[in-house]
Amino acid sequence: MPFKIDLHAHSNISDGLFTPAELVAHAASQGINILALTDHDDVSGLAAAREAAAEHNMQLINGVEISVTWKKRTLHIVGLKIDPENLTLKNALDSVRVGRDLRAQEMGEGLAKAGILDAYNGVKLLANQSIITRMHFARFLVENNHAKDAKSVFKKYLVKGKPGFVDHQWMNLEQAVSLITASGGTAVIAHPGRYDLGSVNMLELMHEFRSYGGTAIEVVTGSHTPPQYQQFAKIAHQFGLMSSQGSDYHGKGISFMEMGRLPALPSNCVPVWQDWPEVGMFAH
Ligand code: AMP
Ligand code: MN
Ligand code: MN
Ligand code: MN
């Protein structure tokens, strides 16, 4: 591959560790030429990322990752090439962030009942004005010795049935896809291998997603295994969907994979970037 592309990564505008500019510099150091910054429910890091990208001769793709409730499960939809100035999108993300803060307060109350006091305030400090995600709670709980690492802390405190879990209602799938496409973007189902859907629901999800105007799925991503690359390449082909790839990088120690290490898409995939001018300049 003549260029390296990563279409899924987080900065400290959401639950990543690097500032947007640091993330771009890190991506450049890993050989990435085209990067999408896809913070959860927030587009306010894109301007700084774009400035930094220009210094590194890198193409920055405007992105976002939106949480969705579908059949009582949480799914993530990545929007690529969205317009961060689009008012409808901005307003919708504003209200998602208000909901996130209320949820975080409830998570803190749940943890207090389990004997862990003041988690909300601790997490608020860690998040430093950014949105609060379960990743911030995971960091707080590990730092305060309630679990040994990010993986075990989720199991013990932050998933359904555990004290820090709150059953939150996110927006619906149609809304998320419409917000993305109406702002000029492409909707992508993030890490479909992580939802534990079963094959019938998985096919239903693809069908429904496509009917709302969704056009791509992540085939190669940090949390997928090589057999899942093949599985989702096949599903993409079956539904006429394009394929995306992205590390879902969050920072050192809290990521599935370092940036720049993803394998290429399986050869039968149609890359979501096939007609993008940002890529054309690298594809000699
Ligand atoms: P939230 O959107 O607040 O529910 O937080 C979800 C974030 O927590 C994801 O974007 C990941 O960064 C992280 N996360 C969720 N589940 C896990 C897990 N099992 N292990 C590690 N990180 C996780
Ligand atoms: Mn995250
Ligand atoms: Mn995600
Ligand atoms: Mn992500």
Side-chain angles (χ1 to χ4, degrees):
M1 199 155 84
F3 58 90
K4 276 196 183 180
I5 185 163
D6 189 330
L7 298 177
H8 189 156
H10 298 269
S11 76
N12 67 357
I13 292 296
S14 64
D15 56 352
L17 298 180
F18 286 135
T19 64
E22 288 165 351
L23 180 79
V24 166
H26 182 69
S29 76
Q30 300 304 116
I32 303 292
N33 310 104
I34 302 136
L35 173 73
L37 174 62
T38 56
D39 277 310
H40 297 284
D41 309 318
D42 203 327
V43 294
S44 62
L46 293 170
R50 179 161 300 282
E51 263 181 45
E55 287 169 24
H56 291 278
N57 192 26
M58 184 191 285
Q59 290 294 319
L60 194 271
I61 304 296
N62 289 330
V64 66
E65 182 172 20
I66 302 181
S67 305
V68 157
T69 300
W70 187 76
K71 293 198 172 202
K72 298 194 174 149
R73 290 174 176 83
T74 300
L75 311 179
H76 287 170
I77 305 298
V78 160
L80 298 173
K81 308 194 82 169
I82 45 116
D83 172 8
E85 300 305 325
N86 181 281
L87 267 187
T88 316
L89 175 64
K90 269 169 99 161
N91 290 338
L93 296 180
D94 283 348
S95 59
V96 172
R97 292 199 297 274
V98 171
R100 267 196 180 274
D101 200 69
L102 295 170
R103 168 196 189 231
Q105 292 176 36
E106 278 184 62
M107 289 172 74
E109 287 162 19
L111 289 168
K113 284 187 193 139
I116 299 170
L117 302 179
D118 230 19
Y120 174 75
N121 288 320
V123 161
K124 193 96 183 149
L125 278 176
L126 264 183
N128 185 27
Q129 329 260 330
S130 82
I131 59 159
I132 300 177
T133 72
R134 282 183 297 158
M135 183 69 99
H136 295 98
F137 278 92
R139 282 168 54 198
F140 171 84
L141 291 166
V142 172
E143 278 172 23
N144 289 281
N145 301 314
H146 296 289
K148 66 175 191 323
D149 55 26
K151 201 174 169 148
S152 58
V153 80
F154 272 90
K155 263 196 194 151
K156 205 167 156 191
Y157 292 108
L158 300 172
V159 294
K160 213 174 207 120
K162 302 298 169 173
F165 184 82
V166 170
D167 214 358
H168 192 70
Q169 187 70 36
W170 303 103
M171 72 176 75
N172 68 41
L173 180 62
E174 182 172 17
Q175 270 175 299
V177 173
S178 305
L179 279 171
I180 291 166
T181 47
S183 88
T186 298
V188 183
I189 299 178
H191 42 65
R194 275 175 64 186
Y195 304 133
D196 203 16
L197 284 178
S199 55
V200 173
N201 275 330
M202 183 61 78
L203 299 185
E204 193 174 328
L205 170 63
M206 297 298 154
H207 188 79
E208 206 176 308
F209 172 71
R210 196 179 55 181
S211 77
Y212 298 141
T215 52
I217 63 174
E218 282 182 352
V219 168
V220 170
T221 177
S223 57
H224 280 181
T225 60
Q228 285 177 320
Y229 304 155
Q230 301 307 323
Q231 178 192 349
F232 289 104
K234 201 171 152 193
I235 288 178
H237 183 75
Q238 187 184 342
F239 283 85
L241 293 163
M242 293 180 288
S243 300
S244 187
Q245 68 174 54
S247 59
D248 204 0
Y249 187 74
H250 283 71
K252 290 193 169 61
I254 57 167
S255 300
F256 290 99
M257 201 183 256
E258 178 53 271
M259 294 181 117
R261 307 271 169 90
L262 291 176
L265 289 174
S267 57
N268 59 339
C269 290
V270 178
V272 66
W273 59 84
Q274 68 169 345
D275 294 328
W276 291 2
E278 293 88 344
V279 176
M281 61 183 291
F282 291 101
H284 303 299

